[in-house]
Amino acid sequence: MNDTPHLPPATGIGSLPGTDARGRQGGHRQLRGLPHLPELPARGSGADMIGRTAGLLVELYARVEPSGWRIGDRPGRDTRRARSWLGEDLDALEEFTQGYEGFLKVQAVGPWTLAAALELRNGEAALSDPGACRDLAASLAEGLRLHLEEVRRRVPGARLVLQLDEPSLTAVLRGQVRTASGYRTHRAVDRQIVEATLRDVVGVHEGGPVVVHSCAPDVPFALLRRAGVAGISFDFSLLTERDDEAIGEAVEGGTRLFAGVVPGTDGPLSDPAGSVMGVRTLWRRLGLRPGLLPEAVTVTPACGLAGASPGYARSAYAHCVRAARSLADNPE
């Protein structure tokens, strides 16, 4: 189980608009507390969520096909491009964090979303083959271990937080991931296998906090807690009262909630207190101590900001910081 430190009150999810790594690093420094390594999918294949993580894999490689990313035998142009984009982002990170000490978040796709997205040679998702899922998870774990070492080397004063993006996790558990033909779905994966695989990948960040992010409905809070995560990141607008018991147990068990309350695309922003009104309402409904709010909640956008304008992305981050301050100053 990961130790759960007092993580900062606000952060971003990962993706940002634009193609300039240095511009995005400089632009999101206003996100006080928990800065992160930005992802810039607008640059194209290899900078997207799946491509970036495929570039981290060890002894497994992927290339772009018309249908998506497919596992191949050797590193090709797409793998090299993914690693080049990541190297550029790490260079910019190192440049803008000289002397930095504090939390720093890095993101990668988790093992089950990766298995649902990466194709085998026959065009079906790796999810269709239990052996391929095991190999993929092992390759990802080793790649993440090396990636975390590299970030520590470049930013030696950082306390790293690892975020695993798992938007397909609920679909994997429910057997809702479609086959290549689109006419069927892959069989649901046993919950114990899903949990054990996640626990193995979470364990790579030994002694450090791991957050799992999903902007899909019905996040499996209890399963993720058993897998050892320190925090769970979600789109707050997708919660229903069915989630109340699991959320209450998570908070009481020390799991931090990364509440996505700020829209991920351009639009009017309410006042900061209004953005977290739903969080306060949830707290009252659960009967939780108001003073626990700033200790248990980190405010984030609802999902990544790749589809937003640069100006809105900056405003959204500043808004997250102000909304988190509102929770701390006025927990009632």
Side-chain angles (χ1 to χ4, degrees), residues 6-40:
H6 291 294
L7 291 168
T11 191
I13 296 301
S15 65
L16 287 169
T19 60
D20 176 13
R22 282 172 171 76
R24 293 286 76 79
Q25 288 283 0
H28 94 292
R29 281 182 296 176
Q30 64 184 299
L31 188 57
R32 295 180 293 279
L34 185 45
H36 64 88
L37 177 64
E39 300 164 348
L40 305 175

Side-chain angles (χ1 to χ4, degrees), residues 22-211:
R22 282 172 171 76
R24 293 286 76 79
Q25 288 283 0
H28 94 292
R29 281 182 296 176
Q30 64 184 299
L31 188 57
R32 295 180 293 279
L34 185 45
H36 64 88
L37 177 64
E39 300 164 348
L40 305 175
R43 293 180 299 197
S45 295
D48 61 296
M49 184 173 77
I50 298 300
R52 164 165 284 198
T53 301
L56 294 175
L57 297 176
V58 173
E59 295 182 0
L60 280 179
Y61 311 102
R63 65 179 185 273
V64 178
E65 298 286 344
S67 53
W69 284 87
R70 182 171 296 182
I71 296 172
D73 296 325
R74 61 184 66 85
R77 176 183 59 189
D78 299 316
T79 298
R80 289 191 294 272
R81 184 188 299 118
R83 292 175 177 174
S84 175
W85 287 134
L86 178 58
E88 182 178 310
D89 292 344
L90 289 171
D91 288 344
L93 177 73
E94 186 175 5
E95 179 181 330
F96 281 100
T97 54
Q98 291 294 316
Y100 174 75
E101 293 185 355
F103 286 104
L104 174 67
K105 182 165 68 71
V106 297
Q107 307 83 218
V109 175
W112 293 107
T113 295
L114 201 61
L118 285 183
E119 300 173 356
L120 301 174
R121 289 178 192 145
N122 63 5
E124 289 295 350
L127 188 66
S128 65
D129 183 333
C133 289
R134 286 192 297 271
D135 291 346
L136 189 56
S139 175
L140 174 64
E142 179 61 12
L144 287 173
R145 186 186 66 77
L146 295 172
H147 180 49
L148 291 167
E149 283 183 0
E150 173 72 3
V151 178
R152 287 190 195 100
R153 183 185 68 78
R154 289 173 177 260
V155 194
R159 297 180 64 189
L160 296 185
V161 177
L162 172 62
Q163 176 181 304
L164 297 175
D165 292 317
E166 282 283 15
S168 299
L169 181 58
T170 300
V172 167
L173 289 166
R174 293 185 172 180
Q176 295 172 337
V177 177
R178 294 209 164 272
T179 59
S181 69
Y183 296 119
R184 295 184 301 109
T185 57
H186 293 289
R187 183 179 302 174
V189 181
D190 183 270
R191 296 181 77 88
Q192 290 185 334
I193 294 173
V194 170
E195 180 184 324
T197 300
L198 280 167
R199 187 182 300 112
D200 288 345
V201 176
V202 166
V204 166
H205 192 25
E206 189 175 349
V210 178
V211 177

Side-chain angles (χ1 to χ4, degrees), residues 233-300:
S233 173
F234 53 93
D235 181 342
F236 192 85
S237 70
L238 298 179
L239 291 183
T240 69
E241 291 193 15
R242 292 196 311 270
D243 298 306
D244 281 7
E245 183 178 353
I247 290 174
E249 290 175 352
V251 172
E252 290 173 350
T255 303
R256 192 168 185 96
L257 304 181
F258 285 64
V261 298
V262 177
T265 52
D266 290 42
L269 293 169
S270 69
D271 65 288
S275 291
V276 290
M277 186 182 302
V279 179
R280 291 192 180 94
T281 301
L282 172 66
W283 233 245
R284 287 194 292 270
R285 196 164 71 232
L286 296 176
L288 294 168
R289 179 171 57 86
L292 187 61
L293 265 171
E295 300 172 19
V297 174
T298 292
V299 177
T300 75

